Amino acid sequence: MPKPIYVLNGPNLNLLGEREPEIYGADTLEDVRKRCKIRAAAAELTIEFHQSNHEGELIGWVQEARTKASALVINPAGYGHTSVALLDALKTLEIPIIECHLSNPAARERFRRFTYVSLAAKGVVSGFGVMSYELAIDAAAALVRASA
Ligand code: DQA
């Protein structure tokens, strides 16, 4: 069995379902976790799913993923637009990194158009709501399979 896919979620994503539902939808983060788990299981993979409002905690999981994960899916939320430290941590990984967003940041305010995380990501999935995560898991699974 390959190592799990780490799925990391940045600040405020714990409030999914309540937070700006017109942008982020009605599903909760627990719904997202369940759908990621099902999608990974379809590819005979497992996930490690985490959320934090703290930059350092997210960086801790990224560092853990260096040895414990087969791929990393990350919705960095607001930290994607601000965190050089998160980018630096991601750059230490040799496994594929897929960035994902529920909304399409490129179609929103100007400051959302750039993410530091993209500089380390193999690819980005944005704008499909929870399906962004499912597509990111599919991409991660395909990359894991290709490297096996
Ligand atoms: C987000 C988009 C970010 O710009 C924002 O800061 C978020 C959520 C998304 O999933 O669409 O918190 O990452």
Side-chain angles (χ1 to χ4, degrees):
M1 187 83 162
K3 295 173 187 171
I5 299 173
Y6 270 43
V7 184
L8 303 184
N9 296 278
N12 302 305
L13 292 171
N14 55 312
L15 295 180
L16 271 188
E18 296 170 42
R19 172 196 182 207
E20 299 181 273
E22 65 289 357
I23 296 176
Y24 299 117
D27 288 311
T28 65
L29 192 63
E30 179 56 15
D31 297 328
V32 175
R33 188 192 67 75
K34 285 185 188 147
R35 282 173 63 174
C36 287
K37 188 177 170 199
I38 290 168
R39 201 67 167 219
E44 296 180 348
L45 292 168
T46 58
I47 58 164
E48 272 286 326
F49 193 93
H50 297 292
Q51 186 276 332
S52 180
N53 295 325
H54 302 278
E55 192 175 15
E57 196 167 21
L58 290 162
I59 289 170
W61 288 319
V62 170
Q63 292 187 4
E64 195 178 287
R66 297 176 73 225
T67 56
K68 297 204 169 144
S70 60
L72 184 131
V73 170
I74 182 164
N75 181 349
Y79 285 143
H81 310 299
T82 62
S83 180
V84 174
L86 186 57
L87 169 63
D88 286 344
L90 290 166
K91 282 192 150 176
T92 70
L93 299 187
E94 288 173 4
I95 54 174
I97 298 166
I98 294 106
E99 178 179 355
C100 91
H101 299 276
L102 295 148
S103 67
N104 177 3
R108 298 177 62 193
E109 302 96 324
R110 207 178 171 77
F111 64 84
R112 294 188 200 274
R113 290 190 196 155
F114 173 79
T115 82
Y116 286 98
V117 168
S118 296
L119 298 173
K122 180 94 181 154
V124 185
V125 188
S126 300
F128 301 105
V130 183
M131 197 169 58
S132 291
Y133 282 80
E134 294 176 319
L135 296 170
I137 296 279
D138 287 351
L143 293 166
V144 170
R145 219 175 299 121
S147 70

